[in-house]
Amino acid sequence: IEADIRNELKKIQGINKIDINTTAKVSPSRQILQGDLLPTVKNVIAIASGKGGVGKTTIACNIAIALAMLGSKVGLLDGDIYGPSVPRIMGVKEPVGVRQNTLIPPVAYNVKVISIGFFISDETPLIWRGPMVSGALRQLITQVEWGELDYLIVDLPPGTGDIHLTLAQTLPLTGIIIVTTPQPVAYNVAIKALQMFKKLNVEIIGIIENMSYFICPHCKNKADIFDSKGGRVIAEKYNIPFLGEIPLDPLIRESSDNGIPVVIQNSEASKYYFEIAKKVAGRVSVISKSKEI
Ligand code: ADP
């Protein structure tokens, strides 16, 4: 749209400098009834995977930032209570403060962030049973000053467990995004996560394939290190939108480790996250229209 506007304006004589500032008008896609725990949050999107290590958290962080950069108000909730890694990737360590028993989340790259990782040390394992974990997730949802948000992105732990059930039963969700790598050992487990959310009547926003291929920096040849196309195979088989693929890129790993996510850097890799974020926004708008909220 920006390019079209720019082209049209350029045709008018006398205009030599064009500044275009875009923001997003996001529609709600979840039914916010009386008693909703997050009445000021228009959309809640959970990111799930079958296996760990497929890049789910990296995607949650980069997509949250991309949506914010595209003009939306965004929050990011680290629901991976047992292995929180959002603080490291987003470069934040603690809440800004507490107001009337409610945590004020830090804002990183225009995204409000909350994680159980703010309250435990890196080396301390959480040895909690299901009810405690579910209670902690509820607190991170309710006792945080989220304010008005277009999107709350929730990074779920891998697999199917208490946290997934608690989330689906605590809040009406916009839907879920499934992340997988291309090889059968990953996508076969991703299918289980997918089926679980279908059973819980949660909308499947789409599937993202990560680590899809690797371009050798020396010979520039493409290598399918983890096989190829697994994400597309599930998308077709289960008739779910395919939101895109992201290659293996050492810059993505380095940036995450350094707390400066790749999407804010002017790099080849950032394009993939932006494209996917735009598709997610498009899907949310379609879901919102279909529900006539
Ligand atoms: P998960 O949340 O699924 O457990 P993470 O997001 O923590 O996975 O990613 C696992 C590791 O893989 C991290 O070190 C991360 O930086 C790295 N990683 C994720 N996606 C990519 C990618 N496309 N290219 C290179 N490294 C990646």
Side-chain angles (χ1 to χ4, degrees):
I1 292 171
E2 259 192 46
D4 286 350
I5 294 173
R6 203 173 283 281
N7 285 339
E8 289 305 312
L9 288 176
K10 270 188 200 154
K11 291 180 193 161
I12 304 172
Q13 270 197 349
I15 293 185
N16 40 30
K17 185 169 181 285
I18 304 167
D19 277 330
I20 300 177
N21 197 357
T22 39
T23 57
K25 183 170 175 288
V26 181
S27 307
S29 63
R30 57 188 211 97
Q31 208 85 45
I32 302 175
L33 302 172
Q34 217 183 0
D36 191 287
L37 296 178
L38 292 175
T40 57
V41 176
K42 290 182 186 168
N43 299 290
V44 180
I45 298 175
I47 317 266
S49 68
K51 277 170 67 64
V54 296
K56 173 182 49 58
T57 309
T58 310
I59 287 176
C61 295
N62 280 289
I63 284 185
I65 298 171
L67 287 169
M69 288 171 85
L70 292 167
S72 306
K73 297 188 196 99
V74 186
L76 174 61
L77 191 163
D78 187 355
D80 196 347
I81 307 272
Y82 289 114
S85 47
V86 167
R88 170 181 284 270
I89 299 178
M90 296 296 280
V92 282
K93 287 198 168 75
E94 56 194 7
V96 173
V98 182
R99 198 168 12 227
Q100 290 167 344
N101 256 344
T102 308
L103 291 169
I104 306 167
V107 179
Y109 311 108
N110 271 331
V111 174
K112 291 182 179 172
V113 183
I114 211 79
S115 169
I116 193 96
F118 294 165
F119 312 103
I120 51 174
S121 79
D122 279 353
E123 287 92 29
T124 317
L126 262 192
I127 311 173
W128 283 359
R129 288 193 189 278
M132 286 177 77
V133 171
S134 299
L137 179 69
R138 262 185 91 88
Q139 278 190 303
L140 294 183
I141 293 171
T142 54
Q143 291 181 15
V144 174
E145 218 176 78
W146 290 112
E148 303 262 332
L149 290 184
D150 292 317
Y151 302 101
L152 177 65
I153 307 289
V154 183
D155 179 35
L156 287 171
T160 52
D162 289 313
I163 295 183
H164 306 72
L165 272 176
T166 304
L167 183 70
Q169 290 166 353
T170 306
L171 280 177
L173 302 176
T174 297
I176 187 105
I177 293 173
I178 306 274
V179 178
T180 185
T181 45
Q183 75 275 42
V185 75
Y187 74 68
N188 280 336
V189 204
I191 292 171
K192 289 190 186 164
L194 179 81
Q195 300 288 31
M196 173 190 181
F197 285 104
K198 275 192 162 176
K199 275 200 179 142
L200 294 169
N201 283 327
V202 175
E203 176 89 32
I204 313 293
I205 296 174
I207 187 150
I208 299 172
E209 188 188 277
N210 192 27
M211 309 188 183
S212 299
Y213 54 88
F214 176 68
I215 306 282
C216 170
H218 309 292
C219 68
K220 309 288 177 212
N221 271 346
K222 184 179 171 198
D224 293 333
I225 294 181
F226 296 123
D227 204 347
S228 67
K229 308 261 184 291
R232 282 183 198 273
V233 169
I234 319 181
E236 269 166 36
K237 184 166 174 201
Y238 293 91
N239 201 16
I240 313 162
F242 184 70
L243 300 172
E245 55 184 27
I246 302 164
L248 259 173
D249 183 337
L251 185 66
I252 297 177
R253 204 271 310 144
E254 265 165 45
S255 320
S256 298
D257 279 350
N258 296 330
I260 308 166
V262 78
V263 77
I264 65 147
Q265 302 173 32
N266 193 6
S267 66
E268 186 64 22
S270 67
K271 280 196 316 210
Y272 297 97
Y273 295 103
F274 270 107
E275 285 311 307
I276 292 173
K278 286 180 195 167
K279 280 200 184 146
V280 170
R283 279 282 293 139
V284 169
S285 133
V286 170
I287 294 168
S288 157
K289 286 216 169 71
S290 71
K291 288 190 181 164
E292 288 178 358
I293 293 167

